[in-house]
PDB file of all heavy atoms in Angstrom:
ATOM      1  N   ILE A 170       2.541   7.477   0.543  1.00 96.00           N
ATOM      2  CA  ILE A 170       2.286   6.243  -0.213  1.00 96.00           C
ATOM      3  C   ILE A 170       0.811   6.063  -0.559  1.00 96.00           C
ATOM      4  O   ILE A 170       0.457   5.291  -1.454  1.00 96.00           O
ATOM      5  CB  ILE A 170       2.819   5.018   0.550  1.00 96.00           C
ATOM      6  CG1 ILE A 170       2.974   3.841  -0.426  1.00 96.00           C
ATOM      7  CG2 ILE A 170       1.922   4.678   1.749  1.00 96.00           C
ATOM      8  CD1 ILE A 170       3.770   2.683   0.117  1.00 96.00           C
ATOM      9  N   ASP A 171      -0.083   6.776   0.136  1.00 97.00           N
ATOM     10  CA  ASP A 171      -1.512   6.666  -0.178  1.00 97.00           C
ATOM     11  C   ASP A 171      -1.809   7.028  -1.630  1.00 97.00           C
ATOM     12  O   ASP A 171      -2.759   6.502  -2.222  1.00 97.00           O
ATOM     13  CB  ASP A 171      -2.330   7.603   0.718  1.00 97.00           C
ATOM     14  CG  ASP A 171      -2.419   7.107   2.150  1.00 97.00           C
ATOM     15  OD1 ASP A 171      -2.393   5.889   2.358  1.00 97.00           O
ATOM     16  OD2 ASP A 171      -2.507   7.952   3.060  1.00 97.00           O
ATOM     17  N   PHE A 172      -1.028   7.921  -2.206  1.00 98.00           N
ATOM     18  CA  PHE A 172      -1.344   8.425  -3.549  1.00 98.00           C
ATOM     19  C   PHE A 172      -1.071   7.395  -4.639  1.00 98.00           C
ATOM     20  O   PHE A 172      -1.970   7.108  -5.439  1.00 98.00           O
ATOM     21  CB  PHE A 172      -0.634   9.767  -3.767  1.00 98.00           C
ATOM     22  CG  PHE A 172      -1.167  10.822  -2.834  1.00 98.00           C
ATOM     23  CD1 PHE A 172      -0.653  10.980  -1.557  1.00 98.00           C
ATOM     24  CD2 PHE A 172      -2.247  11.607  -3.206  1.00 98.00           C
ATOM     25  CE1 PHE A 172      -1.186  11.902  -0.672  1.00 98.00           C
ATOM     26  CE2 PHE A 172      -2.791  12.548  -2.327  1.00 98.00           C
ATOM     27  CZ  PHE A 172      -2.259  12.686  -1.057  1.00 98.00           C
ATOM     28  N   PRO A 173       0.112   6.785  -4.718  1.00 97.00           N
ATOM     29  CA  PRO A 173       0.267   5.729  -5.734  1.00 97.00           C
ATOM     30  C   PRO A 173      -0.614   4.511  -5.481  1.00 97.00           C
ATOM     31  O   PRO A 173      -1.103   3.898  -6.434  1.00 97.00           O
ATOM     32  CB  PRO A 173       1.762   5.383  -5.669  1.00 97.00           C
ATOM     33  CG  PRO A 173       2.239   5.897  -4.359  1.00 97.00           C
ATOM     34  CD  PRO A 173       1.394   7.084  -4.054  1.00 97.00           C
ATOM     35  N   LEU A 174      -0.834   4.143  -4.212  1.00 98.00           N
ATOM     36  CA  LEU A 174      -1.715   3.000  -3.932  1.00 98.00           C
ATOM     37  C   LEU A 174      -3.141   3.295  -4.384  1.00 98.00           C
ATOM     38  O   LEU A 174      -3.806   2.440  -4.996  1.00 98.00           O
ATOM     39  CB  LEU A 174      -1.698   2.663  -2.438  1.00 98.00           C
ATOM     40  CG  LEU A 174      -0.453   1.976  -1.887  1.00 98.00           C
ATOM     41  CD1 LEU A 174      -0.579   1.756  -0.379  1.00 98.00           C
ATOM     42  CD2 LEU A 174      -0.189   0.647  -2.588  1.00 98.00           C
ATOM     43  N   SER A 175      -3.627   4.498  -4.106  1.00 98.00           N
ATOM     44  CA  SER A 175      -4.979   4.874  -4.532  1.00 98.00           C
ATOM     45  C   SER A 175      -5.068   4.956  -6.041  1.00 98.00           C
ATOM     46  O   SER A 175      -6.072   4.541  -6.643  1.00 98.00           O
ATOM     47  CB  SER A 175      -5.369   6.216  -3.898  1.00 98.00           C
ATOM     48  OG  SER A 175      -5.414   6.118  -2.481  1.00 98.00           O
ATOM     49  N   ASN A 176      -4.022   5.491  -6.681  1.00 98.00           N
ATOM     50  CA  ASN A 176      -4.003   5.544  -8.144  1.00 98.00           C
ATOM     51  C   ASN A 176      -4.126   4.146  -8.744  1.00 98.00           C
ATOM     52  O   ASN A 176      -4.802   3.938  -9.754  1.00 98.00           O
ATOM     53  CB  ASN A 176      -2.714   6.206  -8.638  1.00 98.00           C
ATOM     54  CG  ASN A 176      -2.678   7.703  -8.399  1.00 98.00           C
ATOM     55  OD1 ASN A 176      -3.712   8.343  -8.199  1.00 98.00           O
ATOM     56  ND2 ASN A 176      -1.486   8.278  -8.417  1.00 98.00           N
ATOM     57  N   CYS A 177      -3.453   3.174  -8.128  1.00 98.00           N
ATOM     58  CA  CYS A 177      -3.511   1.801  -8.644  1.00 98.00           C
ATOM     59  C   CYS A 177      -4.932   1.258  -8.607  1.00 98.00           C
ATOM     60  O   CYS A 177      -5.454   0.806  -9.631  1.00 98.00           O
ATOM     61  CB  CYS A 177      -2.577   0.891  -7.836  1.00 98.00           C
ATOM     62  SG  CYS A 177      -0.827   1.061  -8.252  1.00 98.00           S
ATOM     63  N   ILE A 178      -5.556   1.283  -7.441  1.00 98.00           N
ATOM     64  CA  ILE A 178      -6.887   0.675  -7.340  1.00 98.00           C
ATOM     65  C   ILE A 178      -7.908   1.457  -8.149  1.00 98.00           C
ATOM     66  O   ILE A 178      -8.813   0.884  -8.759  1.00 98.00           O
ATOM     67  CB  ILE A 178      -7.320   0.525  -5.856  1.00 98.00           C
ATOM     68  CG1 ILE A 178      -8.460  -0.483  -5.754  1.00 98.00           C
ATOM     69  CG2 ILE A 178      -7.652   1.844  -5.226  1.00 98.00           C
ATOM     70  CD1 ILE A 178      -8.109  -1.896  -6.158  1.00 98.00           C
ATOM     71  N   ASN A 179      -7.770   2.782  -8.206  1.00 98.00           N
ATOM     72  CA  ASN A 179      -8.686   3.591  -9.018  1.00 98.00           C
ATOM     73  C   ASN A 179      -8.507   3.334 -10.510  1.00 98.00           C
ATOM     74  O   ASN A 179      -9.417   3.587 -11.301  1.00 98.00           O
ATOM     75  CB  ASN A 179      -8.488   5.080  -8.731  1.00 98.00           C
ATOM     76  CG  ASN A 179      -8.942   5.476  -7.333  1.00 98.00           C
ATOM     77  OD1 ASN A 179      -9.713   4.757  -6.696  1.00 98.00           O
ATOM     78  ND2 ASN A 179      -8.468   6.618  -6.847  1.00 98.00           N
ATOM     79  N   SER A 180      -7.324   2.837 -10.886  1.00 98.00           N
ATOM     80  CA  SER A 180      -7.034   2.526 -12.297  1.00 98.00           C
ATOM     81  C   SER A 180      -7.339   1.080 -12.653  1.00 98.00           C
ATOM     82  O   SER A 180      -7.061   0.641 -13.769  1.00 98.00           O
ATOM     83  CB  SER A 180      -5.555   2.815 -12.600  1.00 98.00           C
ATOM     84  OG  SER A 180      -5.213   4.154 -12.313  1.00 98.00           O
ATOM     85  N   GLY A 181      -7.871   0.321 -11.688  1.00 97.00           N
ATOM     86  CA  GLY A 181      -8.205  -1.071 -11.958  1.00 97.00           C
ATOM     87  C   GLY A 181      -7.041  -2.025 -11.812  1.00 97.00           C
ATOM     88  O   GLY A 181      -7.112  -3.181 -12.257  1.00 97.00           O
ATOM     89  N   ILE A 182      -5.952  -1.576 -11.182  1.00 98.00           N
ATOM     90  CA  ILE A 182      -4.786  -2.445 -10.955  1.00 98.00           C
ATOM     91  C   ILE A 182      -4.822  -2.894  -9.503  1.00 98.00           C
ATOM     92  O   ILE A 182      -4.670  -2.082  -8.581  1.00 98.00           O
ATOM     93  CB  ILE A 182      -3.473  -1.698 -11.271  1.00 98.00           C
ATOM     94  CG1 ILE A 182      -3.434  -1.331 -12.754  1.00 98.00           C
ATOM     95  CG2 ILE A 182      -2.254  -2.545 -10.898  1.00 98.00           C
ATOM     96  CD1 ILE A 182      -2.303  -0.393 -13.145  1.00 98.00           C
ATOM     97  N   ASP A 183      -5.046  -4.197  -9.292  1.00 97.00           N
ATOM     98  CA  ASP A 183      -5.283  -4.687  -7.935  1.00 97.00           C
ATOM     99  C   ASP A 183      -4.198  -5.626  -7.423  1.00 97.00           C
ATOM    100  O   ASP A 183      -4.379  -6.318  -6.422  1.00 97.00           O
ATOM    101  CB  ASP A 183      -6.645  -5.375  -7.848  1.00 97.00           C
ATOM    102  CG  ASP A 183      -6.755  -6.604  -8.738  1.00 97.00           C
ATOM    103  OD1 ASP A 183      -5.722  -7.032  -9.305  1.00 97.00           O
ATOM    104  OD2 ASP A 183      -7.871  -7.138  -8.886  1.00 97.00           O
ATOM    105  N   THR A 184      -3.046  -5.637  -8.103  1.00 98.00           N
ATOM    106  CA  THR A 184      -1.919  -6.442  -7.648  1.00 98.00           C
ATOM    107  C   THR A 184      -0.693  -5.537  -7.564  1.00 98.00           C
ATOM    108  O   THR A 184      -0.206  -5.050  -8.581  1.00 98.00           O
ATOM    109  CB  THR A 184      -1.648  -7.612  -8.608  1.00 98.00           C
ATOM    110  OG1 THR A 184      -2.852  -8.371  -8.763  1.00 98.00           O
ATOM    111  CG2 THR A 184      -0.543  -8.511  -8.063  1.00 98.00           C
ATOM    112  N   VAL A 185      -0.238  -5.291  -6.336  1.00 98.00           N
ATOM    113  CA  VAL A 185       0.822  -4.307  -6.102  1.00 98.00           C
ATOM    114  C   VAL A 185       1.872  -4.895  -5.166  1.00 98.00           C
ATOM    115  O   VAL A 185       1.554  -5.339  -4.062  1.00 98.00           O
ATOM    116  CB  VAL A 185       0.260  -3.011  -5.472  1.00 98.00           C
ATOM    117  CG1 VAL A 185       1.370  -1.967  -5.346  1.00 98.00           C
ATOM    118  CG2 VAL A 185      -0.913  -2.466  -6.278  1.00 98.00           C
ATOM    119  N   GLY A 186       3.120  -4.884  -5.604  1.00 97.00           N
ATOM    120  CA  GLY A 186       4.236  -5.239  -4.736  1.00 97.00           C
ATOM    121  C   GLY A 186       4.882  -3.963  -4.231  1.00 97.00           C
ATOM    122  O   GLY A 186       5.245  -3.103  -5.029  1.00 97.00           O
ATOM    123  N   VAL A 187       4.996  -3.825  -2.919  1.00 96.00           N
ATOM    124  CA  VAL A 187       5.616  -2.635  -2.318  1.00 96.00           C
ATOM    125  C   VAL A 187       7.007  -3.019  -1.824  1.00 96.00           C
ATOM    126  O   VAL A 187       7.143  -3.825  -0.897  1.00 96.00           O
ATOM    127  CB  VAL A 187       4.763  -2.078  -1.161  1.00 96.00           C
ATOM    128  CG1 VAL A 187       5.436  -0.861  -0.541  1.00 96.00           C
ATOM    129  CG2 VAL A 187       3.363  -1.725  -1.652  1.00 96.00           C
ATOM    130  N   LEU A 188       8.027  -2.459  -2.440  1.00 93.00           N
ATOM    131  CA  LEU A 188       9.407  -2.830  -2.144  1.00 93.00           C
ATOM    132  C   LEU A 188       9.952  -1.914  -1.055  1.00 93.00           C
ATOM    133  O   LEU A 188      10.125  -0.708  -1.280  1.00 93.00           O
ATOM    134  CB  LEU A 188      10.272  -2.742  -3.403  1.00 93.00           C
ATOM    135  CG  LEU A 188      10.095  -3.872  -4.421  1.00 93.00           C
ATOM    136  CD1 LEU A 188       8.723  -3.824  -5.095  1.00 93.00           C
ATOM    137  CD2 LEU A 188      11.178  -3.816  -5.486  1.00 93.00           C
ATOM    138  N   THR A 189      10.198  -2.472   0.119  1.00 91.00           N
ATOM    139  CA  THR A 189      10.675  -1.684   1.247  1.00 91.00           C
ATOM    140  C   THR A 189      12.104  -2.082   1.591  1.00 91.00           C
ATOM    141  O   THR A 189      12.546  -3.198   1.297  1.00 91.00           O
ATOM    142  CB  THR A 189       9.785  -1.887   2.486  1.00 91.00           C
ATOM    143  OG1 THR A 189       9.850  -3.254   2.888  1.00 91.00           O
ATOM    144  CG2 THR A 189       8.339  -1.514   2.183  1.00 91.00           C
ATOM    145  N   GLN A 190      12.812  -1.175   2.239  1.00 83.00           N
ATOM    146  CA  GLN A 190      14.165  -1.483   2.691  1.00 83.00           C
ATOM    147  C   GLN A 190      14.536  -0.626   3.896  1.00 83.00           C
ATOM    148  O   GLN A 190      14.725  -1.140   4.993  1.00 83.00           O
ATOM    149  CB  GLN A 190      15.174  -1.282   1.556  1.00 83.00           C
ATOM    150  CG  GLN A 190      16.625  -1.566   1.957  1.00 83.00           C
ATOM    151  CD  GLN A 190      17.516  -1.868   0.758  1.00 83.00           C
ATOM    152  OE1 GLN A 190      17.510  -2.973   0.222  1.00 83.00           O
ATOM    153  NE2 GLN A 190      18.279  -0.873   0.345  1.00 83.00           N
ATOM    154  N   TYR A 191      14.612   0.694   3.718  1.00 83.00           N
ATOM    155  CA  TYR A 191      15.012   1.581   4.813  1.00 83.00           C
ATOM    156  C   TYR A 191      13.871   1.756   5.816  1.00 83.00           C
ATOM    157  O   TYR A 191      12.751   2.094   5.437  1.00 83.00           O
ATOM    158  CB  TYR A 191      15.420   2.951   4.238  1.00 83.00           C
ATOM    159  CG  TYR A 191      15.689   4.012   5.283  1.00 83.00           C
ATOM    160  CD1 TYR A 191      16.912   4.042   5.960  1.00 83.00           C
ATOM    161  CD2 TYR A 191      14.734   4.961   5.609  1.00 83.00           C
ATOM    162  CE1 TYR A 191      17.160   5.002   6.918  1.00 83.00           C
ATOM    163  CE2 TYR A 191      14.976   5.933   6.564  1.00 83.00           C
ATOM    164  CZ  TYR A 191      16.191   5.943   7.224  1.00 83.00           C
ATOM    165  OH  TYR A 191      16.422   6.897   8.180  1.00 83.00           O
ATOM    166  N   GLN A 192      14.137   1.513   7.092  1.00 83.00           N
ATOM    167  CA  GLN A 192      13.188   1.724   8.189  1.00 83.00           C
ATOM    168  C   GLN A 192      11.752   1.334   7.789  1.00 83.00           C
ATOM    169  O   GLN A 192      10.845   2.169   7.720  1.00 83.00           O
ATOM    170  CB  GLN A 192      13.213   3.203   8.613  1.00 83.00           C
ATOM    171  CG  GLN A 192      14.532   3.664   9.200  1.00 83.00           C
ATOM    172  CD  GLN A 192      14.723   3.226  10.644  1.00 83.00           C
ATOM    173  OE1 GLN A 192      13.987   2.392  11.160  1.00 83.00           O
ATOM    174  NE2 GLN A 192      15.726   3.776  11.306  1.00 83.00           N
ATOM    175  N   PRO A 193      11.505   0.039   7.532  1.00 83.00           N
ATOM    176  CA  PRO A 193      10.210  -0.361   6.969  1.00 83.00           C
ATOM    177  C   PRO A 193       9.081  -0.546   7.981  1.00 83.00           C
ATOM    178  O   PRO A 193       7.938  -0.741   7.583  1.00 83.00           O
ATOM    179  CB  PRO A 193      10.541  -1.698   6.309  1.00 83.00           C
ATOM    180  CG  PRO A 193      11.624  -2.276   7.178  1.00 83.00           C
ATOM    181  CD  PRO A 193      12.445  -1.088   7.637  1.00 83.00           C
ATOM    182  N   LEU A 194       9.369  -0.501   9.293  1.00 86.00           N
ATOM    183  CA  LEU A 194       8.367  -0.883  10.277  1.00 86.00           C
ATOM    184  C   LEU A 194       7.073  -0.083  10.152  1.00 86.00           C
ATOM    185  O   LEU A 194       5.973  -0.645  10.080  1.00 86.00           O
ATOM    186  CB  LEU A 194       8.938  -0.727  11.697  1.00 86.00           C
ATOM    187  CG  LEU A 194       7.979  -1.102  12.833  1.00 86.00           C
ATOM    188  CD1 LEU A 194       7.569  -2.569  12.730  1.00 86.00           C
ATOM    189  CD2 LEU A 194       8.638  -0.825  14.188  1.00 86.00           C
ATOM    190  N   MET A 195       7.173   1.250  10.130  1.00 87.00           N
ATOM    191  CA  MET A 195       5.984   2.095  10.054  1.00 87.00           C
ATOM    192  C   MET A 195       5.199   1.831   8.774  1.00 87.00           C
ATOM    193  O   MET A 195       3.967   1.734   8.779  1.00 87.00           O
ATOM    194  CB  MET A 195       6.386   3.566  10.120  1.00 87.00           C
ATOM    195  CG  MET A 195       5.233   4.551   9.931  1.00 87.00           C
ATOM    196  SD  MET A 195       4.116   4.627  11.325  1.00 87.00           S
ATOM    197  CE  MET A 195       5.114   5.577  12.472  1.00 87.00           C
ATOM    198  N   LEU A 196       5.913   1.680   7.661  1.00 91.00           N
ATOM    199  CA  LEU A 196       5.261   1.449   6.374  1.00 91.00           C
ATOM    200  C   LEU A 196       4.549   0.099   6.364  1.00 91.00           C
ATOM    201  O   LEU A 196       3.406  -0.011   5.907  1.00 91.00           O
ATOM    202  CB  LEU A 196       6.306   1.512   5.259  1.00 91.00           C
ATOM    203  CG  LEU A 196       5.825   1.853   3.853  1.00 91.00           C
ATOM    204  CD1 LEU A 196       5.063   3.161   3.824  1.00 91.00           C
ATOM    205  CD2 LEU A 196       7.007   1.909   2.896  1.00 91.00           C
ATOM    206  N   ASN A 197       5.216  -0.925   6.887  1.00 92.00           N
ATOM    207  CA  ASN A 197       4.596  -2.256   6.944  1.00 92.00           C
ATOM    208  C   ASN A 197       3.322  -2.233   7.778  1.00 92.00           C
ATOM    209  O   ASN A 197       2.292  -2.798   7.392  1.00 92.00           O
ATOM    210  CB  ASN A 197       5.574  -3.268   7.541  1.00 92.00           C
ATOM    211  CG  ASN A 197       6.778  -3.519   6.651  1.00 92.00           C
ATOM    212  OD1 ASN A 197       6.871  -2.970   5.558  1.00 92.00           O
ATOM    213  ND2 ASN A 197       7.704  -4.327   7.122  1.00 92.00           N
ATOM    214  N   GLU A 198       3.392  -1.587   8.936  1.00 93.00           N
ATOM    215  CA  GLU A 198       2.236  -1.524   9.818  1.00 93.00           C
ATOM    216  C   GLU A 198       1.100  -0.731   9.171  1.00 93.00           C
ATOM    217  O   GLU A 198      -0.073  -1.100   9.270  1.00 93.00           O
ATOM    218  CB  GLU A 198       2.627  -0.872  11.145  1.00 93.00           C
ATOM    219  CG  GLU A 198       1.478  -0.773  12.137  1.00 93.00           C
ATOM    220  CD  GLU A 198       1.863  -0.052  13.413  1.00 93.00           C
ATOM    221  OE1 GLU A 198       2.778   0.792  13.365  1.00 93.00           O
ATOM    222  OE2 GLU A 198       1.234  -0.310  14.441  1.00 93.00           O
ATOM    223  N   TYR A 199       1.459   0.361   8.498  1.00 94.00           N
ATOM    224  CA  TYR A 199       0.447   1.228   7.895  1.00 94.00           C
ATOM    225  C   TYR A 199      -0.294   0.518   6.765  1.00 94.00           C
ATOM    226  O   TYR A 199      -1.523   0.558   6.678  1.00 94.00           O
ATOM    227  CB  TYR A 199       1.100   2.510   7.373  1.00 94.00           C
ATOM    228  CG  TYR A 199       0.115   3.495   6.801  1.00 94.00           C
ATOM    229  CD1 TYR A 199      -0.730   4.221   7.625  1.00 94.00           C
ATOM    230  CD2 TYR A 199       0.027   3.708   5.422  1.00 94.00           C
ATOM    231  CE1 TYR A 199      -1.645   5.131   7.114  1.00 94.00           C
ATOM    232  CE2 TYR A 199      -0.877   4.612   4.900  1.00 94.00           C
ATOM    233  CZ  TYR A 199      -1.714   5.320   5.748  1.00 94.00           C
ATOM    234  OH  TYR A 199      -2.621   6.215   5.229  1.00 94.00           O
ATOM    235  N   ILE A 200       0.447  -0.153   5.894  1.00 95.00           N
ATOM    236  CA  ILE A 200      -0.184  -0.834   4.753  1.00 95.00           C
ATOM    237  C   ILE A 200      -0.987  -2.050   5.223  1.00 95.00           C
ATOM    238  O   ILE A 200      -2.115  -2.277   4.764  1.00 95.00           O
ATOM    239  CB  ILE A 200       0.871  -1.248   3.716  1.00 95.00           C
ATOM    240  CG1 ILE A 200       1.505   0.007   3.085  1.00 95.00           C
ATOM    241  CG2 ILE A 200       0.253  -2.113   2.620  1.00 95.00           C
ATOM    242  CD1 ILE A 200       2.689  -0.286   2.193  1.00 95.00           C
ATOM    243  N   GLY A 201      -0.418  -2.799   6.145  1.00 94.00           N
ATOM    244  CA  GLY A 201      -1.132  -3.963   6.684  1.00 94.00           C
ATOM    245  C   GLY A 201      -1.605  -4.900   5.587  1.00 94.00           C
ATOM    246  O   GLY A 201      -0.858  -5.269   4.680  1.00 94.00           O
ATOM    247  N   ASN A 202      -2.886  -5.270   5.649  1.00 94.00           N
ATOM    248  CA  ASN A 202      -3.434  -6.186   4.637  1.00 94.00           C
ATOM    249  C   ASN A 202      -3.984  -5.460   3.416  1.00 94.00           C
ATOM    250  O   ASN A 202      -4.552  -6.080   2.517  1.00 94.00           O
ATOM    251  CB  ASN A 202      -4.531  -7.064   5.254  1.00 94.00           C
ATOM    252  CG  ASN A 202      -5.770  -6.258   5.646  1.00 94.00           C
ATOM    253  OD1 ASN A 202      -5.769  -5.023   5.601  1.00 94.00           O
ATOM    254  ND2 ASN A 202      -6.831  -6.952   6.046  1.00 94.00           N
ATOM    255  N   GLY A 203      -3.842  -4.126   3.382  1.00 96.00           N
ATOM    256  CA  GLY A 203      -4.273  -3.364   2.213  1.00 96.00           C
ATOM    257  C   GLY A 203      -5.738  -3.008   2.169  1.00 96.00           C
ATOM    258  O   GLY A 203      -6.218  -2.448   1.179  1.00 96.00           O
ATOM    259  N   GLN A 204      -6.468  -3.301   3.240  1.00 96.00           N
ATOM    260  CA  GLN A 204      -7.924  -3.105   3.228  1.00 96.00           C
ATOM    261  C   GLN A 204      -8.362  -1.674   2.912  1.00 96.00           C
ATOM    262  O   GLN A 204      -9.318  -1.483   2.137  1.00 96.00           O
ATOM    263  CB  GLN A 204      -8.509  -3.580   4.570  1.00 96.00           C
ATOM    264  CG  GLN A 204     -10.024  -3.529   4.645  1.00 96.00           C
ATOM    265  CD  GLN A 204     -10.538  -2.173   5.120  1.00 96.00           C
ATOM    266  OE1 GLN A 204      -9.834  -1.483   5.876  1.00 96.00           O
ATOM    267  NE2 GLN A 204     -11.722  -1.783   4.683  1.00 96.00           N
ATOM    268  N   PRO A 205      -7.709  -0.623   3.456  1.00 96.00           N
ATOM    269  CA  PRO A 205      -8.189   0.743   3.164  1.00 96.00           C
ATOM    270  C   PRO A 205      -8.174   1.095   1.672  1.00 96.00           C
ATOM    271  O   PRO A 205      -8.931   1.959   1.226  1.00 96.00           O
ATOM    272  CB  PRO A 205      -7.212   1.636   3.943  1.00 96.00           C
ATOM    273  CG  PRO A 205      -6.703   0.768   5.037  1.00 96.00           C
ATOM    274  CD  PRO A 205      -6.610  -0.604   4.431  1.00 96.00           C
ATOM    275  N   TRP A 206      -7.309   0.428   0.901  1.00 97.00           N
ATOM    276  CA  TRP A 206      -7.197   0.705  -0.537  1.00 97.00           C
ATOM    277  C   TRP A 206      -7.914  -0.374  -1.370  1.00 97.00           C
ATOM    278  O   TRP A 206      -7.726  -0.430  -2.588  1.00 97.00           O
ATOM    279  CB  TRP A 206      -5.718   0.772  -0.939  1.00 97.00           C
ATOM    280  CG  TRP A 206      -4.968   1.773  -0.118  1.00 97.00           C
ATOM    281  CD1 TRP A 206      -4.799   3.111  -0.385  1.00 97.00           C
ATOM    282  CD2 TRP A 206      -4.293   1.529   1.124  1.00 97.00           C
ATOM    283  NE1 TRP A 206      -4.077   3.701   0.621  1.00 97.00           N
ATOM    284  CE2 TRP A 206      -3.760   2.762   1.564  1.00 97.00           C
ATOM    285  CE3 TRP A 206      -4.104   0.401   1.917  1.00 97.00           C
ATOM    286  CZ2 TRP A 206      -3.035   2.883   2.748  1.00 97.00           C
ATOM    287  CZ3 TRP A 206      -3.390   0.523   3.096  1.00 97.00           C
ATOM    288  CH2 TRP A 206      -2.859   1.753   3.502  1.00 97.00           C
ATOM    289  N   ASP A 207      -8.700  -1.223  -0.718  1.00 96.00           N
ATOM    290  CA  ASP A 207      -9.367  -2.348  -1.383  1.00 96.00           C
ATOM    291  C   ASP A 207      -8.343  -3.258  -2.054  1.00 96.00           C
ATOM    292  O   ASP A 207      -8.556  -3.772  -3.154  1.00 96.00           O
ATOM    293  CB  ASP A 207     -10.392  -1.834  -2.413  1.00 96.00           C
ATOM    294  CG  ASP A 207     -11.326  -2.936  -2.907  1.00 96.00           C
ATOM    295  OD1 ASP A 207     -11.500  -3.923  -2.175  1.00 96.00           O
ATOM    296  OD2 ASP A 207     -11.861  -2.807  -4.028  1.00 96.00           O
ATOM    297  N   LEU A 208      -7.210  -3.448  -1.374  1.00 97.00           N
ATOM    298  CA  LEU A 208      -6.153  -4.295  -1.909  1.00 97.00           C
ATOM    299  C   LEU A 208      -5.949  -5.540  -1.051  1.00 97.00           C
ATOM    300  O   LEU A 208      -4.868  -6.132  -1.035  1.00 97.00           O
ATOM    301  CB  LEU A 208      -4.842  -3.504  -2.025  1.00 97.00           C
ATOM    302  CG  LEU A 208      -4.807  -2.461  -3.142  1.00 97.00           C
ATOM    303  CD1 LEU A 208      -3.576  -1.567  -3.018  1.00 97.00           C
ATOM    304  CD2 LEU A 208      -4.834  -3.121  -4.524  1.00 97.00           C
ATOM    305  N   ASP A 209      -6.987  -5.946  -0.329  1.00 95.00           N
ATOM    306  CA  ASP A 209      -6.936  -7.206   0.426  1.00 95.00           C
ATOM    307  C   ASP A 209      -7.626  -8.285  -0.408  1.00 95.00           C
ATOM    308  O   ASP A 209      -8.803  -8.568  -0.235  1.00 95.00           O
ATOM    309  CB  ASP A 209      -7.586  -7.045   1.806  1.00 95.00           C
ATOM    310  CG  ASP A 209      -8.980  -6.426   1.738  1.00 95.00           C
ATOM    311  OD1 ASP A 209      -9.295  -5.749   0.741  1.00 95.00           O
ATOM    312  OD2 ASP A 209      -9.765  -6.630   2.682  1.00 95.00           O
ATOM    313  N   ARG A 210      -6.879  -8.869  -1.322  1.00 94.00           N
ATOM    314  CA  ARG A 210      -7.430  -9.813  -2.302  1.00 94.00           C
ATOM    315  C   ARG A 210      -6.894 -11.220  -2.077  1.00 94.00           C
ATOM    316  O   ARG A 210      -5.755 -11.407  -1.629  1.00 94.00           O
ATOM    317  CB  ARG A 210      -7.061  -9.360  -3.723  1.00 94.00           C
ATOM    318  CG  ARG A 210      -7.466  -7.919  -4.076  1.00 94.00           C
ATOM    319  CD  ARG A 210      -8.961  -7.745  -4.095  1.00 94.00           C
ATOM    320  NE  ARG A 210      -9.381  -6.387  -4.397  1.00 94.00           N
ATOM    321  CZ  ARG A 210      -9.831  -5.984  -5.584  1.00 94.00           C
ATOM    322  NH1 ARG A 210      -9.893  -6.840  -6.587  1.00 94.00           N
ATOM    323  NH2 ARG A 210     -10.222  -4.737  -5.756  1.00 94.00           N
TER     324      ARG A 210
END
């Protein structure tokens, strides 16, 4: 998931909805507040 998230911020798109469903715990914890991708806005 780092690749599409990085593509977004590098492209100037700073509003991203991540749609989760199957086994979301690890993904939710990893993304957190979005700070590593400069997506904590």
Side-chain angles (χ1 to χ4, degrees):
I170 199 167
D171 287 330
F172 295 87
L174 286 178
S175 297
N176 288 340
C177 283
I178 198 64
N179 291 341
S180 303
I182 296 170
D183 62 9
T184 305
V185 184
V187 179
L188 285 68
T189 63
Q190 179 159 281
Y191 173 80
Q192 295 282 12
L194 180 61
M195 175 72 75
L196 204 55
N197 293 358
E198 180 183 27
Y199 183 73
I200 294 172
N202 67 352
Q204 184 272 331
W206 305 271
D207 193 24
L208 288 170
D209 51 338
R210 305 295 179 102

